[in-house]
Amino acid sequence: MNKSVFSVVGVCACAAVLLSHGLVVDAEQEPGTGPVRPPTVQATSATARLQAFSRHQEMERSSPFADLEWRAVGPRLQGGRIEGIAVAPGHSSTIYAGAGAGNLWKSINNGTTWVPIFEKESTFTIGDIAVAPSDPNVVWVGTGEVLMARSSYAGTGVFKSTDAGATWKNMGLTDSHHIAQVVIHPTDPNRVWVAAVGHLYSDNEERGIFRTTDGGATWQRTLFVNNRTGAIDVVLDPSDPNVLYAAMWERSRKAWGHTTNGPGSGLFKSLDGGATWQPVTSGLPTGSVVGRIGLAIAPSNPRVVYALVDNYTPTPPTGRGNNPGRIGGEVYRSDDRGASWRKVNEEPVAAGYDFCLIQVAPDNEDIIYLPNNRFMVSENAGRTYRQIEGTLVHLLPHGSQVLHLDHHELWIDPDNGDHMLLGNDGGLHLTYDRGQSWLHLNNIPIGEFYAVSVDMDTPYNIYGGTQDDAALFGSSAQTLADDLGDQWQHVYLDRWGGGDSYFTYRDPLDHDLIYYEHQMGDLRRKRMSTGKTDGIRPSAGQGEAPLRSNWMTPFFFSADPTHTPQAMYYGGNRLFKSLDRGDTWTAMSPDLTSNPAQQGNVPWGTLTSVSESPLTPGLLYAGADDGYLHVTRDDGNTWTRIGEGLADRWITRVTASQHDEATVYVSMTGYRYDEFDAYLYVSHDYGTTWASLVGNLPAEPINVIGEDPSDRNILYVGTDTGVFASTDRGKSWQALCGNLPTVPIYDLVVHPRDGELVIGTHGRSVFVADISAVRRAAAGAGSER
């Protein structure tokens, strides 16, 4: 078969109609020449989001499976993204750690053991934590990640506890989505300031600096620039709580790119407790070149204030492609409480939209820390820098010997500058010697899994890829306990102790081979016994347009047993097939996306989910980030664009039925428009017509849908806050959340032999549940039918 020639048809047979609607896709079409297709989408209101979660809670309470017990099986050793750290004043062994998407954890023994304390709230994503200096029982949490990455989750406002985290109350600012900073008055716990970043993917009003003087009963927005500019930092003068500094940041993100600077960015100062603000510009960059800003006041001399500025002023061409660069990070210092500033760094400093933190040692105004991509320190008032690495000791065994990259939070003991807690993509780290040595507190199960798969060993193993903590596999029989280790192990580690990974599979025939991938489809094959690793990513042919691959590129093994080794499929913007474990690839499709004109710093117009029918080899479906959906029934000879009547949204999962050849399921998300509705469809005629399966599901994004292999009537979905099941093919749904925390479910699989449902969560590692009760309920309903 000549795979260089394809036929792409639409739902209708009329060629003129197909051409007029752009349904015929040219395999040689250049990127960025396709139609402009971003749909007009209204961001979901805070009211609607909270109503959806109320519906979610009601379904949990009324579910016939309310007592379902989920078993946390880890892993813990890899760590996970920490974005917030707070320590109770006067109680340095009481630590609060907030995971980017893994809820809030508390330790009362300096990190030896941990308890999750934010399990069933309306959100799971932590931006900042603050403990009242005058009352350690008063704890505030600002929700929504501050990272502002392509997968950063939106929170639902600020929460307050008056019993040291035992109970929580939502105190408002529910449409802020991302809260960067919470500051509490040193003597009055009812006076609080909040820096609200605002929406990630859309413009909105609830952003800027807010303050309350009555413990959160009411709020006043006292600093606002525009609906695209949010507050990214706010700091309080330790010698005068009426003096505050705030950093504003104008930015905008879309699915295909990120604008990280703008004229709304800048520094402001208040002399009246945040009631009014004045811009601070003397000696600082201003205008559209200003990006994110980090602020810090020297505790030992509050006249000294530092600002880390991400400066987008162009620089001369670098010689690499003759592309101009930009200045990048700059450190500015003021010695007169912000009246005037001067640039102090004499060498390049790294800063950016995701890494722009600065701290000052409590005992020396000239020692500053920059915990950003790497952890840097200056001991001469910001002029020169060295990297902090230090000896690394892991609480649980881990293969890395160096401090993880990508830092998001640094807490420094105000009474002892040697004592610090550092949060990064690898978890929480503790030092008592200013970073000469670190204890990695990797005993919290907060892995941000993207995907999971299973094998047929006894007990079976689970494989999966995580956000920056590599690919791992481990026993499904593991039980988490503080006095036990971790049976999981890494498939690989990069030189910094992690690495982004996504779909991960063991070879179905050669069990010594494991396949994993890095960002944008960088596919690898590793022989575990020797460590030999090969890059096996397909590439475009000579003269063809470059491939576009998603951040999380779909690939999988065919279920067709007629090939040895089994065939593999890989989806970029085209679909590829390999019959030799990835050594060579054959293109089996043209561009299956809209080839969108919007091309920024993130690949756009890429396949996000591909599914092969377990019943019929050669029947495949391919779904894309731009909402395009295609089917082939002849192993790629011809492709038909399907999906008429579906929402124009990012396709999260396409699942071909394992019980009926003509049935296929599709889930979608509006996340990249800050829209949080549920999209779920089924077709019983190969995608010609579709029906919604949302039914009584709460309005929350759906990430995955799967069938039960033993019963065609049972379906499972994973959403951004839990798991649901249907025992009547999607006519009605019941919650399977049981003892699960509120957490996003990115992937799920039913083990075909053991009758267990395995879920990969993006923030709380992996859980397993016995689903025999669901099967019994379906069988009972079937007998009544």
Side-chain angles (χ1 to χ4, degrees), residues 556-560 569 610-621 656:
F556 63 95
F557 282 95
S558 170
D560 182 4
Y569 293 99
V610 181
S611 182
E612 178 194 38
S613 169
L615 304 175
T616 307
L619 171 58
L620 296 112
Y621 299 88

Side-chain angles (χ1 to χ4, degrees), residues 566-632:
Q566 288 177 231
M568 291 177 64
Y569 293 99
Y570 173 104
N573 56 312
R574 304 168 64 186
L575 190 64
F576 291 80
K577 184 177 183 177
S578 174
L579 298 178
D580 54 12
R581 294 190 167 100
D583 286 336
T584 61
W585 294 89
T586 300
M588 57 183 302
S589 82
D591 192 334
L592 296 178
T593 77
S594 67
N595 195 24
Q598 299 84 6
Q599 292 297 326
N601 53 12
V602 178
W604 174 241
T606 62
L607 296 181
T608 53
S609 184
V610 181
S611 182
E612 178 194 38
S613 169
L615 304 175
T616 307
L619 171 58
L620 296 112
Y621 299 88
D625 51 13
D626 58 7
Y628 266 41
L629 181 62
H630 287 82
V631 63
T632 177

Side-chain angles (χ1 to χ4, degrees), residues 53 56 99-103 119 121-126 145 151-154 446-452 671 700-704 717-724 737 740-748 759-767:
F53 187 70
H56 175 113
N103 315 90
E119 293 291 84
E121 305 303 327
S122 56
T123 187
F124 47 82
T125 173
I126 309 300
E145 285 189 86
S151 59
S152 295
Y153 273 103
I446 51 173
E448 294 185 352
F449 275 78
Y450 286 102
V452 289
Y671 161 84
E700 53 195 45
I702 297 172
N703 301 312
V704 59
V717 297
T719 76
D720 273 357
T721 59
V723 189
F724 297 84
C737 299
L740 277 181
T742 303
V743 67
I745 312 302
Y746 261 39
D747 201 7
L748 57 80
I759 58 172
T761 77
H762 197 70
R764 293 293 291 271
S765 293
V766 179
F767 289 82

Side-chain angles (χ1 to χ4, degrees), residues 54-76:
S54 294
R55 171 65 182 158
H56 175 113
Q57 290 176 306
E58 173 55 34
M59 290 188 70
E60 282 199 30
R61 289 189 293 265
S62 61
S63 173
F65 312 113
D67 295 330
L68 184 71
E69 284 290 327
W70 289 91
R71 181 166 45 87
V73 298
R76 295 180 293 171

